[in-house]
Amino acid sequence: MIDFFSLVKDTNAYKIVRGEKSKNTLSHAYILVCSDEKCLNNYLKEFAKLLTCEQFDACNTCRVCNLIEKNRHQDIYFYPKTENPVNVEDVAEIINESIIKPIELNKKLFVINFKDNASLSVQNKLLKTLEEPPKNVFFLIGVLSEHALLQTVKSRAKKIEIFPFDKEKLFNALKNELTDEVSLERAISLTDGTVGQTVKLYNDKNFFSTVDLVAETLVNMNSSKNVLEYSTKITKLSQELEDFLSVLELALKDMLVSLEGKENLVQNKELLAKTKKATGFNVASLLYGLEKVEEAKKRKKANATNTMLIEWLLLQILEGKFKWQKL
Ligand SMILES: [Zn+2]
């Protein structure tokens, strides 16, 4: 099991709610912002325990904590109940349930995971209850980004946020679950700081060959004679072409910020180190390359064939290099 409690307990978000709990000044509604789509539910559970467990910290051993973990506490409701987004029927149910007394606890908690798809009708329907909630009713709303919510909803709840974790924290929280330390370190070096993406990269060994091939292409593809060789290698990847394009975009962006001396904005040091030997790129040609990657993504959506698309893109990147070298 991934130790989400160890990750979450040192965050400012957790400290804020814990402090309010100890002072008996809990807000009736919190909005938890966290970009980790895969794990947002896990974080919401940790906060649900904190809001309802009788101990100062969530104890993770009492009946309430255990039932929350299994999503089976009668006074704590989790939405959506299926894979589909929360809908207006769910909100109608929340409103009805909120006026009925709790069964076991002295409060009711509604945990609503909107991710990034909270429809306007759903938010508007929830608004009045959020504004004047029945006594002892609490809300915990999860979103990937606060842009998912209407200003009117945001103004009725307290925002707390979980930011990406640093590498050491991720490593410590994941090492018992993801036991191959070398792969874990590598996955962490390529991640955006979320557990969800780290786990995905750890389990997806092909992803590393995509990273290597992106770097190899940028370093060694120096003439249009090489285009066919690399486009063949790229189309043979077991990865989706979209994944290749994302890694290529990341590589070009990191080369760009590094060239501009903004090392602190580099997202992926491993990939940047691999592209260090790439020659002939300057700010203009990198920007041109990034523009063409965007265009390739659009063409891909319009169902262009992979082989033609990659050949076209590699030629564009080369053309960009030569165009600005000549100036
Ligand atoms: Zn507990």
Side-chain angles (χ1 to χ4, degrees), residues 49 53-55 57-66:
K49 290 177 200 166
C53 174
E54 284 195 355
Q55 305 298 318
D57 266 335
C59 70
N60 273 308
T61 51
C62 73
R63 179 180 154 78
V64 178
C65 285
N66 276 320

Side-chain angles (χ1 to χ4, degrees), residues 9-105:
K9 73 177 183 356
D10 295 329
T11 60
N12 264 338
Y14 201 83
K15 287 176 189 162
I16 289 168
V17 180
R18 187 168 50 184
E20 291 174 354
K21 181 182 178 183
S22 71
K23 282 183 271 169
N24 231 342
T25 56
L26 282 176
S27 302
H28 72 274
Y30 291 91
I31 293 168
L32 178 65
V33 182
C34 171
S35 63
D36 191 348
E37 182 173 358
K38 288 218 173 61
C39 301
L40 180 52
N41 248 341
N42 302 88
Y43 295 118
L44 288 170
K45 277 185 181 171
E46 295 306 325
F47 279 89
K49 290 177 200 166
L50 177 62
L51 286 168
T52 49
C53 174
E54 284 195 355
Q55 305 298 318
F56 175 57
D57 266 335
C59 70
N60 273 308
T61 51
C62 73
R63 179 180 154 78
V64 178
C65 285
N66 276 320
L67 287 176
I68 288 175
E69 192 57 51
K70 293 180 200 139
N71 188 5
R72 285 177 55 188
H73 197 290
Q74 303 180 86
D75 296 322
I76 299 155
Y77 300 74
F78 285 88
Y79 290 90
K81 292 173 173 173
T82 64
E83 293 292 303
N84 298 324
V86 179
N87 58 37
V88 279
E89 287 77 34
D90 292 328
V91 180
E93 193 178 288
I94 291 170
I95 294 168
N96 284 337
E97 287 290 349
S98 71
I99 50 178
I100 302 171
K101 277 193 174 158
I103 298 168
E104 206 177 307
L105 302 173

Side-chain angles (χ1 to χ4, degrees), residues 63-279:
R63 179 180 154 78
V64 178
C65 285
N66 276 320
L67 287 176
I68 288 175
E69 192 57 51
K70 293 180 200 139
N71 188 5
R72 285 177 55 188
H73 197 290
Q74 303 180 86
D75 296 322
I76 299 155
Y77 300 74
F78 285 88
Y79 290 90
K81 292 173 173 173
T82 64
E83 293 292 303
N84 298 324
V86 179
N87 58 37
V88 279
E89 287 77 34
D90 292 328
V91 180
E93 193 178 288
I94 291 170
I95 294 168
N96 284 337
E97 287 290 349
S98 71
I99 50 178
I100 302 171
K101 277 193 174 158
I103 298 168
E104 206 177 307
L105 302 173
N106 56 7
K107 62 176 105 168
K108 272 194 175 182
L109 173 63
F110 294 91
V111 184
I112 307 170
N113 188 352
F114 279 135
K115 295 187 178 175
D116 58 357
N117 42 29
S119 73
L120 289 183
S121 47
V122 160
Q123 293 190 58
N124 280 322
K125 199 170 169 67
L126 189 62
L127 207 53
K128 198 166 177 313
T129 310
L130 268 185
E131 198 170 26
E132 292 168 4
K135 203 167 171 272
N136 296 328
V137 167
F138 292 82
F139 290 92
L140 176 58
I141 294 170
V143 282
L144 301 181
S145 136
E146 61 179 307
H147 303 300
L149 295 175
L150 294 170
Q151 188 54 42
T152 42
V153 170
K154 285 193 271 187
S155 67
R156 282 160 180 82
K158 179 157 188 166
K159 185 184 94 172
I160 48 177
E161 189 158 1
I162 294 185
F163 296 98
F165 295 103
D166 66 40
K167 293 179 177 7
E168 195 186 334
K169 263 210 143 290
L170 277 177
F171 186 83
N172 288 330
L174 292 171
K175 65 183 179 197
N176 292 331
E177 176 76 12
L178 310 178
T179 50
D180 174 359
E181 291 201 356
V182 175
S183 295
L184 177 57
E185 269 180 11
R186 196 156 187 216
I188 288 175
S189 77
L190 291 163
T191 177
D192 57 3
T194 64
V195 172
Q197 206 205 21
T198 308
V199 174
K200 179 174 179 257
L201 296 187
Y202 177 91
N203 289 319
D204 183 359
K205 305 289 187 239
N206 293 324
F207 190 79
F208 296 130
S209 35
T210 303
V211 170
D212 287 339
L213 186 54
V214 164
E216 191 193 327
T217 307
L218 290 173
V219 172
N220 293 335
M221 185 188 70
N222 287 312
S223 116
S224 54
K225 283 180 207 144
N226 310 132
V227 166
L228 188 62
E229 178 194 342
Y230 283 101
S231 68
T232 307
K233 284 187 183 177
I234 293 162
T235 46
K236 276 188 186 152
L237 278 171
S238 59
Q239 210 85 35
E240 299 281 326
L241 189 68
E242 282 86 347
D243 284 338
F244 175 85
L245 293 176
S246 310
V247 178
L248 178 60
E249 187 176 16
L250 180 65
L252 294 173
K253 272 187 187 158
D254 278 352
M255 288 164 77
L256 181 65
V257 291
S258 167
L259 206 64
E260 289 175 329
K262 301 173 192 157
E263 299 289 339
N264 57 325
L265 294 180
V266 169
Q267 289 187 53
N268 192 318
K269 293 203 172 72
E270 179 182 340
L271 186 52
L272 182 65
K274 283 179 197 279
T275 58
K276 270 281 179 294
K277 285 193 197 125
T279 52

Side-chain angles (χ1 to χ4, degrees), residues 304-321:
T305 63
N306 287 359
T307 318
M308 279 170 67
L309 188 64
I310 282 298
E311 279 177 22
W312 169 82
L313 178 60
L314 296 184
L315 278 168
Q316 296 300 310
I317 289 173
L318 273 178
E319 193 189 297
K321 275 210 304 193

